Amino acid sequence: MNTPVYLDNQATTRVDRRVIDAMIPLMDEVYGNASSTQHEFGWRAEAAVAQARRRVSALVGALPEEVIFTGGATESINLALKGAARGDRARRNRIITAGTEHRAVHDTCTRLEAEGFEVIRVPVDRYGMVDPDDVRRAITPGTILVSIMAANNEIGTIAPLEALGALCSERGVLFHSDATQAVGKIPIDMHAMHIDLLSFSAHKMYGPKGVGALAVRAGRPPIRLIPLLDGGGHEKGIRSGTLNVPGIAGFGVAAEIAAAVMPGESRRLSGLRDSLVEGVNEALEGVRLNGHPTLRLPHNANILFPGANADAVMMAMKDIAISAGSACSSASAEPSHVLRAIGLTPQETLCSLRFGLGRFTTEEEIAYTIGRVNETVRKISRKINQKTNQKTEMRRANAAPAH
Ligand SMILES: *Cc1c(COP(=O)(O)O)cnc(C)c1O
């Protein structure tokens, strides 16, 4: 077994070897521009993109022509939200989202708020679950769209997508879902779930970084998106820029693999995840699983270790790569907005760690992790207890009357 053990698969994943193998020829032999329609180099690149489009669309129940390739989920989300909102500005101005979204959605909504749109953030329950009735009540005739993530990147809670989609379509409101953590891990069918706009990314599912997709439902009523990028008119004029052919082809292979292995992989990873949670729960006092007990991603565990500061645990355990909160928000020392939204105290959010298992996680690594976590958390909470005891003693000594 090699250390450090990688358990940060919600931040990014290792690229599958089969994906790398498929990408290499698209850099050194088939290096044409997919838009060059006059020669063999262009045709072969275009064929690779078309094949990837079929594979990626199939994974989410979309038609190939509904997929727009982008530079990642952040871009897809910006295109979906800004594109739809700015396209509808003359008629409507409300956007509904939740308080536990990834910053790509949260900050895009804040930007739109500054442009004059009204953003309603519905609350979540203590598991991070959105109540479709709250969304229903927030919808007005002036509502453009609802954006709710498919699965949370910190706590893994899976949203009631079908119910949300059905109510949006009933009310004539667009439904966007940031499905970056869900696609390739749990079944997503954008048509069955009434999702109009679906954002996702290759690097969260064993594909390369810097490539993603926005699936835009075809059919009536048509969805009008104002592009973020103007230029050569690629991707039906919605996303100009020379296509990242190797990245897109890699995304396609990653999608095909994910579809094939999903049931077995999710069973294996949820088994390992459960053994990790049980392993620390048996050994340590007061451990709690953050997020929904059952409606959660198979490979995620976000665990609260009362009295053990997460940063201190990570510093003392450099042989295990995990994260506190999300990778993006842990750069700022702010307590996680997701953990705050599900009712944790600021202190509790600072004592929570995210374990993200993945395709390459082994049983041996999980056994090792259980041992290291138990040992480290015990040591750190003992230190804290000693400090508290010292403080109490000092206070007692100070309070003691002088003889
Ligand atoms: C990683 C992530 C994103 C951002 O995806 P990029 O492809 O890195 O831009 C957005 N939303 C969620 C839920 C994510 O986990």
Side-chain angles (χ1 to χ4, degrees):
M1 191 192 82
N2 293 324
T3 56
V5 171
Y6 188 71
L7 288 179
D8 204 10
N9 284 280
Q10 265 95 64
T12 195
T13 56
R14 177 178 182 168
V15 181
D16 194 295
R17 179 44 67 180
R18 292 164 284 184
V19 170
I20 299 174
D21 290 343
M23 289 174 70
I24 290 169
L26 293 160
M27 288 180 272
D28 70 358
E29 288 162 49
V30 189
Y31 50 81
N33 186 322
S35 312
S36 298
T37 53
Q38 290 96 343
H39 52 68
E40 175 81 22
F41 295 88
W43 301 331
R44 290 180 64 190
E46 164 50 26
V49 170
Q51 184 185 45
R53 208 183 291 282
R54 286 192 295 273
R55 290 169 164 167
V56 169
S57 60
L59 181 62
V60 297
L63 300 167
E65 58 270 29
E66 292 178 307
V67 166
I68 305 291
F69 287 117
T70 66
T74 301
E75 187 194 329
S76 301
I77 292 163
N78 272 265
L79 174 58
L81 300 182
K82 291 176 181 166
R86 291 170 183 165
D88 209 3
R89 189 192 322 253
R91 291 194 307 140
R92 308 190 282 188
N93 88 321
R94 177 176 283 204
I95 294 162
I96 299 166
T97 184
T100 46
E101 294 289 315
H102 188 276
R103 283 192 60 186
V105 168
H106 183 271
D107 290 8
T108 300
C109 287
T110 304
R111 178 81 60 195
L112 288 167
E113 222 166 4
E115 289 180 17
F117 292 96
E118 179 194 22
V119 176
I120 306 291
R121 292 186 171 87
V122 296
V124 294
D125 68 12
R126 66 195 175 106
Y127 301 124
M129 196 65 82
V130 170
D131 183 347
D133 281 333
D134 286 335
V135 174
R136 187 192 308 277
R137 278 190 288 272
I139 295 177
T140 54
T143 301
I144 301 168
L145 66 88
V146 171
S147 183
I148 303 287
M149 70 201 313
N152 189 275
N153 50 302
E154 291 188 41
I155 55 175
T157 299
I158 298 169
L161 292 177
E162 247 178 287
L164 290 165
L167 89 90
C168 288
S169 96
E170 208 175 280
R171 300 290 294 273
V173 170
L174 291 177
F175 181 38
H176 167 256
S177 186
D178 169 6
T180 313
Q181 291 291 343
V183 170
K185 316 292 169 45
I186 57 171
I188 296 287
D189 184 323
M190 74 176 287
H191 290 288
M193 293 167 165
H194 307 281
I195 298 169
D196 297 295
L197 297 156
L198 187 78
S199 294
F200 53 110
S201 190
H203 79 96
K204 301 282 174 80
M205 44 180 274
Y206 315 100
K209 293 169 181 59
V211 57
L214 175 64
V216 183
R217 172 192 50 74
R220 306 255 120 216
I223 298 173
R224 183 161 161 259
L225 297 177
I226 307 280
L228 299 174
L229 304 176
D230 294 302
H234 308 75
E235 299 296 85
K236 300 184 195 161
I238 297 174
R239 203 278 186 178
S240 282
T242 300
L243 294 185
N244 171 3
V245 179
I248 289 169
F251 192 6
V253 174
E256 193 175 53
I257 297 170
V261 304
M262 194 185 294
E265 187 164 276
S266 110
R267 223 175 305 119
R268 185 182 80 87
L269 292 182
S270 60
L272 285 182
R273 188 264 325 270
D274 293 346
S275 72
L276 170 66
V277 174
E278 276 161 32
V280 296
N281 196 26
E282 278 166 13
L284 301 168
E285 207 64 43
V287 166
R288 227 166 66 202
L289 183 67
N290 295 320
H292 199 281
T294 54
L295 300 172
R296 63 185 302 127
L297 291 171
H299 58 300
N300 166 280
N302 190 308
I303 305 177
L304 165 63
F305 299 96
N309 180 277
D311 285 329
V313 174
M314 288 189 295
M315 288 300 276
M317 213 172 60
K318 294 208 179 71
D319 48 347
I320 297 172
I322 49 175
S323 97
S326 67
C328 344
S329 59
S330 59
S332 56
E334 298 274 303
S336 149
H337 70 287
V338 174
L339 297 179
R340 292 290 287 137
I342 62 171
L344 268 64
T345 64
Q347 182 56 29
E348 285 172 331
T349 68
L350 298 176
C351 296
S352 295
L353 287 167
R354 180 181 73 178
F355 298 83
L357 287 65
R359 181 169 297 161
F360 308 107
T361 305
T362 64
E363 215 174 299
E364 192 188 9
E365 288 176 332
I366 293 302
Y368 177 79
T369 302
I370 294 170
R372 288 287 290 131
V373 169
N374 290 345
E375 170 186 38
T376 311
V377 168
R378 271 205 202 101
K379 212 180 291 166
I380 283 169
S381 13
R382 196 158 48 229
K383 258 192 214 147
I384 289 171
N385 285 339
Q386 274 168 2
K387 262 192 218 152
T388 329
N389 289 344
Q390 270 169 14
K391 272 191 206 149
T392 324
E393 302 257 306
M394 261 160 52
R395 226 174 291 132
R396 267 201 214 114
N398 289 343
H403 294 285

